């Protein structure tokens, strides 16, 4: 078997650990570091549990070396996936350290969802090898990863990163330039705003709103994206669809809610529908969700739906 | 086994036939009528094929009686599902005919996606038993149905309709009042607008955009609606989430695209990504989609994900 690239994991919270699992189960040697020693100490067992929950072989955790220092985690790595708190000063400092220690060709990728590389890698000698690789929570059961370069990111670096993520079973989506929220969170934000407005106005219940997606649009969209979906919803294809439905959909979009929908009233209405009694029940429901996401991923793979 | 309600199906295009399958496979006697005799003549075979494609027993088609007249289809029916062209004059005339012929307690439900009951049932003596029951295309593989009453629709009728759809395996969502696009198409419209804008501006490719949903948000949303999803995405639940992310999401929502996104440019870009060569390839891809939707529905049922 071909020798797999060494992957560095910096930050071993939920997202970092999920990334470690992604690469370890794809046979990569993984070097993991977290600033917190008590978290490092729990590492083999946390990773094994995560792999098992996702229906993967827990022995893959054996490919993960827990490092005592940041520099050890970077040594010989082809790519480093950073998943630390999204605070600009912290990220800038961390990237400055990593840029100093890592070999010149090592790709430095951040799981950042809001900060962009032109912010946290600005002015670094190795800015060309820095980028955002934004996963969906959690990446070991949802494969998409948004790759967002800064204006300084080298095109070859971006291509190599794309190949590494794809080779490990993820689905990389390339952004051509930086934009707030990248793609996924922009789509989520506009849908959430309208969802919150509809329940705030009493058009339907919170459960009903969720059902229109879970038992409706979400079914389609787990198989086929929204643009391919509409390309099939008129007999003659996409232009036919836009002709028939574009004006009506445009009117609905113009009427879509904005920031005002994220109100205290909306929070109270939705909060009352999901009265999680605290972190324990959030964790339990989250564990259920991740098990189902893993099962869904296996189902889709088995159907060759990923064509 | 309890005697199941007779269901009338008026209009046997794709949606009407899918509804016939929904009720027939749930053991309802179905009385189907379409104005087009040549379509009526093809009926047993079209229904058997549809059932088989969806992994259902094609013998369920035997429960469907093809009627020669509209009045026969209505006779003794507890509920009539109408799926005819969405042209107001046609629907008003059809509902006037049905209101005249159907027994007073028969529920008259329309699959309408744009017209509302206060438009097509206005002034009818039986307006109290008329409503919209809007499915997702196609209802035999996607279970959600939006029930939208007019101000005249009787609450008991609405409850009975809800029970009938739920009993047949669908997921009814009650709207409390009429609103353009109901719920589902409003959510789809705002997401589509932003999706079209992002690809029009070259932020990412059409395939990439679709991947963020298909291999990202769509995965979550096939298991759990968007509001329950956010209730789990912060340690302390929904209010915690809104505190942490509300402002940022609000800014993104304010920046969401409107009607201008449904442009010729967008149509060209998306059309080029999905160059279906005509109705045949649309049909073939649609058949694939419906088979996968049926398989997904079976997978979710088998996981008891429908909790």
């Amino acid at each position: 078997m071909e020798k797999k690239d060494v992957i560095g994991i910096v930050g071993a919270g939920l997202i970092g650990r999920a990334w470690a699992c992604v690469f370890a189960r794809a046979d990569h040697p993984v070097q993991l570091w977290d600033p917190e020693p008590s978290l490092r100490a729990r590492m083999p067992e946390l990773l094994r549990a995560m792999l098992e929950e996702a229906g993967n072989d827990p022995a893959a955790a054996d490919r993960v070396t827990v490092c005592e220092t940041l520099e050890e985690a970077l040594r010989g790595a082809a790519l480093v996936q950073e998943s630390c708190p999204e605070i600009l000063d912290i990220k800038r400092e961390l990237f400055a350290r990593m840029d100093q220690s890592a070999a010149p060709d090592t790709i430095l990728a951040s799981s950042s969802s809001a900060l962009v590389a032109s912010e946290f890698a600005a002015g670094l000698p190795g800015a060309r090898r820095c980028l955002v690789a934004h996963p969906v929570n959690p990446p070991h059961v949802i494969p998409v990863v948004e790759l967002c370069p800064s204006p300084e990111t080298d095109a070859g670096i971006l291509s190599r990163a794309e190949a590494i993520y794809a080779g490990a079973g993820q689905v990389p989506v390339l952004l051509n330039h930086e934009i707030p929220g990248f793609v996924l969170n922009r789509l989520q934000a506009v849908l959430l705003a309208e969802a919150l407005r509809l329940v705030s106005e009493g058009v339907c219940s919170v459960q009903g709103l969720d059902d229109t997606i879970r038992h409706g649009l979400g079914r389609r969209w787990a198989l086929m994206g929204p643009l391919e979906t509409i390309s099939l919803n008129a007999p003659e294809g996409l232009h036919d669809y836009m002709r028939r439905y574009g004006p009506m959909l445009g009117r609905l979009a113009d009427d879509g809610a904005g920031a005002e929908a994220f109100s205290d009233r909306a929070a109270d209405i939705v909060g009352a529908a999901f009265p999680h009694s605290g972190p324990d029940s959030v964790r339990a429901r989250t564990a259920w969700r991740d098990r189902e996401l893993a099962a869904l991923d296996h189902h889709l793979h088995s159907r060759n739906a990923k064509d």
Side-chain angles (χ1 to χ4, degrees), chain A:
Chain A
M1 166 150 64
E2 62 171 288
K3 193 166 178 296
K4 292 275 194 166
D5 287 328
V6 172
I7 305 294
I9 298 289
V10 171
L14 270 171
I15 301 290
R17 295 202 297 279
W19 274 122
C21 291
V22 166
F23 288 110
R25 75 188 176 195
D27 302 322
H28 287 270
V30 174
Q31 295 166 178
L32 178 151
W33 178 78
D34 189 278
E36 180 52 52
S38 60
L39 186 53
R40 295 198 303 262
R42 298 175 59 208
M43 210 39 63
E45 116 221 1
L46 285 177
L47 295 174
R48 270 194 281 268
M50 190 177 251
L51 286 160
E52 209 149 25
E53 281 278 299
N56 299 129
D57 181 2
D62 297 345
R63 288 188 201 103
V64 181
T65 304
V66 182
C67 303
E68 297 296 299
T69 67
L70 171 63
E71 289 69 25
E72 278 174 56
L74 307 184
R75 192 166 303 137
L79 179 146
V80 176
Q81 184 77 32
E82 171 272 325
S83 312
C84 292
E86 287 219 43
I87 295 157
L88 186 54
D89 290 346
I90 293 181
K91 227 174 261 294
R92 282 179 61 79
E93 195 192 309
L94 185 53
F95 264 75
R97 261 182 84 184
M98 293 196 293
D99 192 43
Q100 235 179 6
S101 304
D105 286 344
T106 298
I107 300 169
L108 302 179
S110 175
S111 298
S112 170
S113 68
L115 300 171
V116 289
S118 65
E119 291 171 313
F120 59 73
L124 294 180
R128 58 176 283 285
R129 43 78 165 274
C130 299
L131 73 152
V132 162
H134 173 236
V136 180
N137 173 26
H140 69 312
V141 289
I142 307 187
V144 86
V145 54
E146 298 178 289
L147 303 187
C148 189
S150 79
E152 297 189 79
T153 307
D154 179 82
I157 290 280
L158 190 57
S159 287
R160 250 200 312 126
E162 186 183 13
I164 290 173
Y165 291 108
Q170 302 304 89
V171 177
V173 170
L174 266 59
L175 274 75
N176 292 314
H177 56 262
E178 291 173 340
I179 181 173
F182 307 126
V183 171
L184 188 144
N185 276 329
R186 295 185 72 90
L187 299 175
Q188 181 170 218
V190 296
L191 188 141
L192 275 174
E194 185 61 13
L196 291 170
R197 176 253 223 107
L198 290 169
V199 301
S200 294
E201 288 185 4
V203 172
C204 62
S205 68
V206 171
Q207 179 72 52
L209 189 299
D210 268 5
D211 282 346
T212 66
I213 297 294
R214 179 182 180 186
H215 299 297
L217 285 175
R219 300 288 188 99
R220 276 185 180 156
W221 288 345
L223 298 171
M224 184 182 281
L227 300 179
E228 185 174 13
T229 294
I230 62 172
S231 82
L232 293 182
N233 272 350
E236 306 274 332
L238 195 284
H239 282 87
D240 188 16
Y241 182 91
M242 294 285 270
R243 222 175 1 251
R244 292 173 185 248
Y245 306 116
M248 189 261 299
L249 290 167
R251 283 192 295 274
L252 296 179
D254 271 347
D255 199 37
E260 73 288 349
F262 294 86
S263 65
D264 289 341
R265 175 175 165 74
D268 288 343
I269 288 172
V270 180
F274 302 115
H276 300 300
S277 46
D280 288 335
S281 61
V282 169
R283 253 197 302 270
R285 189 72 176 150
T286 298
W288 173 88
R289 177 202 68 192
D290 293 349
R291 276 196 302 275
E292 293 308 315
L293 283 167
L296 177 59
D297 192 57
H298 295 147
H299 165 78
L300 293 170
H301 268 278
S302 75
R303 299 284 304 179
N304 274 339
K306 244 170 128 166
D307 58 1

